[in-house]
Amino acid sequence: MRFLTTVATALAGSVTALKVLEHDKLAIIGLQNVAKDVAKNGYPSPGTYEKLNYIDAIKCIHKKPALTPSAIASGAKSRYDDFIVTHVLQTWSVHATANFLPWHRYYLFAYEQLLRTECGLKGYLPYYNWAWWHEAPDKSPLYDGSETSIGSGGTYVPGRNYTCVPNEVKSGCPIHLPPGVGGGCITGPLANWTLNLGPLLTMLPGVKPNPQEDGLGYNPRCISRDLSKEAAYETRDEMVTSLITGYNDMLSFQNRMQGDFPNKFFGVHTAGHFTIGGDAGTDFFNSPSDPGFFFHHGMIDRVWWIWQNQDLEKRRNQLGGTITFNDNPPSRNGTLEDVLTLGSILEGEFPNITNGDAMSTIGGPFCYVYDDA
Ligand SMILES: *[C@@H]1O[C@H](CO)[C@@H](O)[C@H](O)[C@H]1NC(C)=O
Ligand SMILES: *[C@@H]1O[C@H](CO)[C@@H](O)[C@H](O)[C@H]1NC(C)=O
Ligand SMILES: *[C@@H]1O[C@H](CO)[C@@H](O)[C@H](O)[C@H]1NC(C)=O
Ligand SMILES: *[C@@H]1O[C@H](CO)[C@@H](O)[C@H](O)[C@H]1NC(C)=O
Ligand SMILES: [Cu+2]
């Protein structure tokens, strides 16, 4: 995400309606020159610094002590875990509900802000464009294991069984996903990153169960992943494009995005999770425990944003769905007035907002657009 400057660029076209001073005209010409120069020569800094700074910032937030009291989550050891705890505690009320996309938008925003204010992040929260890398997610710059990646796709563990999508516990394993390229602990910059919480939903082979039933006890272990081409195939360009163009109301858009498991359809949200594998893929309570989560959900937020922007008048303020997970038990439709909370620990810095506040990325607490550069 690139903020402000891009918004200004995007809005420059409409400035003509206002009084334009002579030097403003020079500024507009200057901006066009910058755009041409970027098109020809790229950005002056190749991005390595930005990537290393991002990795430093997430390592920093993972070292800072948690503010979550142990009475709430005895396994929460880091400031990063504060984010996982709020996701775990709210899982049933922020997925397959009307507030799914607005809540996750606010969640990503808060994460980025905290990385900036507490851990020196200088750039922005990047997104992982699944469609670009669907043929070989393990070759993507995000997961190639290099020093500017967030680690590899996991050390290969042979002889594994398929994984159940979306899970085997509640849904009876409608989709069988073959083993991916990893299965074990990741290598690279986050090789020593400790997951403290979970798992909750799934039992990955070799993973110790959490000592507490709510998954919030202390259970230190590595990040494991299992990058999957088969899952990534479900996020190829065609899937993203048909989602944006083929589903005109929010409910059908969101349902399609989240998958249709009885019909063996992943949806890009589920497919993106299972592309990563490990906790990020298979445990939808504890999925933010892998920093890859935030790159995947950045893309989810981007796809919603692209969808909204195709017809702002009709789409920007649409919500779809109710206030219970898959409307079970049946409940009322969500509304723009419904409150989004990041929970008691984060609420001091990120006060409750409403769905309505989160419908535009240049309104409410936000000021960003997605830049493809
Ligand atoms: C894979 O899992 C199924 C049950 O889900 C089981 O019947 C089968 O034996 C397993 N195969 C291996 C190789 O473990
Ligand atoms: C992980 O820890 C080991 C042992 O302390 C150390 O040798 C290694 O450099 C660390 N790796 C990273 C990526 O921090
Ligand atoms: C709830 O929303 C759906 C569309 O998302 C709509 O068809 C239905 O009429 C709404 N129900 C009520 C009670 O407003
Ligand atoms: C924020 O929202 C949550 C959930 O609705 C609520 O429990 C909490 O009291 C709210 N906080 C404030 C300051 O209103
Ligand atoms: Cu989530």
Side-chain angles (χ1 to χ4, degrees):
M1 292 180 213
R2 293 172 193 275
F3 295 62
L4 293 173
T5 50
T6 322
V7 175
T9 314
L11 298 182
S14 64
V15 165
T16 45
L18 306 170
K19 186 174 175 189
V20 179
L21 304 175
E22 286 307 311
H23 85 269
D24 290 333
K25 291 184 194 161
L26 297 175
I28 292 168
I29 293 169
L31 211 49
Q32 289 164 346
N33 288 344
V34 171
K36 277 186 227 156
D37 186 68
V38 167
K40 193 165 158 225
N41 301 316
Y43 284 92
S45 130
T48 301
Y49 171 80
E50 254 179 324
K51 291 177 188 169
L52 294 176
N53 170 252
Y54 185 92
I55 293 165
D56 284 347
I58 62 175
K59 283 185 171 170
C60 154
I61 203 149
H62 186 255
K63 275 209 196 91
K64 291 206 157 182
L67 297 183
T68 304
S70 61
I72 295 180
S74 63
K77 301 294 176 199
S78 77
R79 198 82 176 99
Y80 187 87
D81 291 340
D82 291 342
F83 273 84
I84 305 174
V85 170
T86 195
H87 190 269
V88 168
L89 292 177
Q90 294 191 72
T91 292
W92 293 117
S93 53
V94 299
H95 298 95
T97 43
N99 64 9
F100 167 60
L101 290 167
W103 188 87
H104 284 82
R105 175 169 281 171
Y106 194 35
Y107 187 59
L108 293 182
F109 171 81
Y111 180 65
E112 180 184 88
Q113 295 299 308
L114 221 63
L115 289 176
R116 191 166 294 130
T117 55
E118 297 189 10
C119 282
L121 179 70
K122 300 216 165 43
Y124 303 101
L125 208 63
Y127 61 86
Y128 171 76
N129 192 330
W130 327 293
W132 266 102
W133 305 103
H134 80 84
E135 287 177 354
D138 53 323
K139 302 290 188 307
S140 72
L142 188 61
Y143 294 118
D144 66 7
S146 66
E147 61 154 9
T148 51
S149 71
I150 57 164
S152 72
T155 307
Y156 184 65
V157 177
R160 288 168 303 132
N161 213 339
Y162 56 80
T163 300
C164 291
V165 179
N167 57 66
E168 56 184 277
V169 190
K170 307 250 174 219
S171 69
C173 203
I175 307 176
H176 291 186
L177 183 68
V181 299
C185 293
I186 64 170
T187 59
L190 306 186
N192 294 341
W193 183 286
T194 310
L195 300 192
N196 299 320
L197 302 161
L200 273 104
L201 186 63
T202 43
M203 269 336 315
L204 294 165
V207 172
K208 293 172 288 180
N210 195 277
Q212 286 175 211
E213 207 171 314
D214 64 5
L216 297 176
Y218 185 46
N219 189 21
R221 61 198 192 282
C222 71
I223 298 177
S224 66
R225 292 191 185 127
D226 188 17
L227 293 193
S228 163
K229 278 194 299 220
E230 286 83 2
Y233 187 66
E234 302 297 321
T235 61
R236 62 199 187 277
D237 183 37
E238 186 188 324
M239 306 309 261
V240 182
T241 306
S242 62
L243 171 66
I244 293 167
T245 58
Y247 298 84
N248 293 321
D249 68 279
M250 185 63 167
L251 186 61
S252 61
F253 169 75
Q254 189 173 304
N255 285 345
R256 188 72 178 166
M257 177 184 249
Q258 292 180 111
D260 176 2
F261 309 123
N263 289 310
K264 301 194 186 297
F265 181 77
F266 275 80
V268 293
H269 172 248
T270 305
H273 277 289
F274 280 87
T275 295
I276 310 170
D279 284 64
T282 62
D283 190 327
F284 85 115
F285 292 85
N286 193 44
S287 51
S289 65
D290 181 337
F293 171 96
F294 293 93
F295 292 79
H296 166 50
H297 263 277
M299 182 66 176
I300 287 289
D301 187 60
R302 175 172 178 258
V303 170
W304 178 32
W305 175 83
I306 299 171
W307 182 86
Q308 291 181 306
N309 294 345
Q310 301 311 299
D311 187 347
L312 284 167
E313 211 174 301
K314 285 212 187 89
R315 293 183 173 182
R316 179 158 59 200
N317 287 322
Q318 267 199 52
L319 290 172
T322 69
I323 59 170
T324 45
F325 188 88
N326 279 329
D327 197 31
N328 181 17
S331 61
R332 66 168 173 83
N333 282 346
T335 68
L336 292 173
E337 291 73 42
D338 288 346
V339 169
L340 302 176
T341 184
L342 295 181
S344 55
I345 305 309
L346 294 166
E347 203 184 305
E349 282 147 293
F350 306 102
N352 291 352
I353 61 170
T354 63
N355 279 329
D357 295 326
M359 301 307 282
S360 169
T361 65
I362 52 171
F366 312 112
C367 185
Y368 68 87
V369 296
Y370 287 93
D371 180 344
D372 291 307

